[in-house]
Amino acid sequence: MLQGIETIFEDKDAMLKHLKKKSFEKNTQEFLAKHGHYFEEMAEYTAQAEDKTAAAEEIGKCIVDAVQKQFANKRGKIDGRTQIDLNFFMIYYVFTSVLKSGKDGTILADGIRNVWSRSFKEGEIHYTDYDTLYNSFREKIFGIF
C-alpha cells in the first residue's frame, strides 16, 4: 500500500520557503497534480474498510515509516529543525489534501495525526482544511515571515 509515498516529501523545503498566499495556492495545485493519486488511494482504502479508524491509522503508519526512512539519522532520530518542517508540511499540504480526498477525510486525517503524534517527539500537531488555511493568509501566513 502507498508504494513510493515518500516522494510527497521531495520538494518539502522549496514548498515551505517564503510561503505566501499565492505560493501556497500554486504549491498545493502542483502537489495534488503530482501526488494526488496517493490521496485517492488513501480515500479508497479507508472507504472500503470495515474499521475505518484502523485503516486510517494503518495509512498513518505507512506515512510515518516513509518519513523515518527518508529523514532519520543513523540512530533513527529526526533532528528538531527537520521535524518542525515536516510538521508544517503535514499541516499545509498532506492534511489539506487528505481532507479534500473524500467523505472519510476527517477519519483519515485523525488516524494519520494520531499515529504521527505518537511516533515523533515533537509530533503533536493539528490540522485544518485547505480553505480555512488559505483564508488565514493575508499576503503572508498570519502576517509573519
Side-chain angles (χ1 to χ4, degrees):
M1 177 174 44
L2 299 176
Q3 296 299 316
I5 188 73
E6 65 276 359
T7 61
I8 68 172
F9 297 98
E10 287 176 341
D11 299 324
K12 169 185 65 67
D13 293 336
M15 292 173 71
L16 292 174
K17 191 174 186 177
H18 305 296
L19 195 58
K20 298 178 181 177
K21 193 170 194 167
K22 277 188 171 185
S23 61
F24 176 61
E25 180 178 27
K26 178 181 171 267
N27 290 347
T28 300
Q29 290 170 353
E30 290 174 1
F31 180 75
L32 285 171
K34 188 174 182 180
H35 303 293
H37 60 95
Y38 290 117
F39 300 100
E40 291 170 13
E41 184 180 345
M42 291 176 203
E44 288 173 21
Y45 185 76
T46 306
Q48 295 173 3
E50 273 187 46
D51 185 346
K52 295 182 185 320
T53 301
E57 291 201 358
E58 187 178 339
I59 290 168
K61 180 79 170 112
C62 288
I63 293 171
V64 164
D65 289 347
V67 165
Q68 288 178 324
K69 180 180 173 187
Q70 187 167 348
F71 295 101
N73 60 25
K74 292 178 183 177
R75 294 178 293 160
K77 304 287 183 189
I78 297 175
D79 72 79
R81 179 67 199 165
T82 301
Q83 184 64 57
I84 290 168
D85 287 347
L86 287 166
N87 291 346
F88 278 120
F89 189 84
M90 290 292 292
I91 294 164
Y92 289 138
Y93 299 106
V94 176
F95 286 121
T96 58
S97 299
V98 164
L99 291 170
K100 284 183 175 187
S101 67
K103 68 179 178 108
D104 296 320
T106 302
I107 293 169
L108 184 52
D110 284 343
I112 294 168
R113 184 204 55 216
N114 293 343
V115 173
W116 187 270
S117 296
R118 289 191 307 262
S119 300
F120 299 111
K121 182 180 178 185
E122 300 295 328
E124 186 65 38
I125 59 176
H126 299 282
Y127 62 85
T128 190
D129 63 273
Y130 174 83
D131 292 330
T132 302
L133 191 56
Y134 180 80
N135 290 327
S136 70
F137 282 91
R138 293 199 177 110
E139 172 55 24
K140 302 174 184 174
I141 185 76
F142 305 120
I144 56 177
F145 294 125

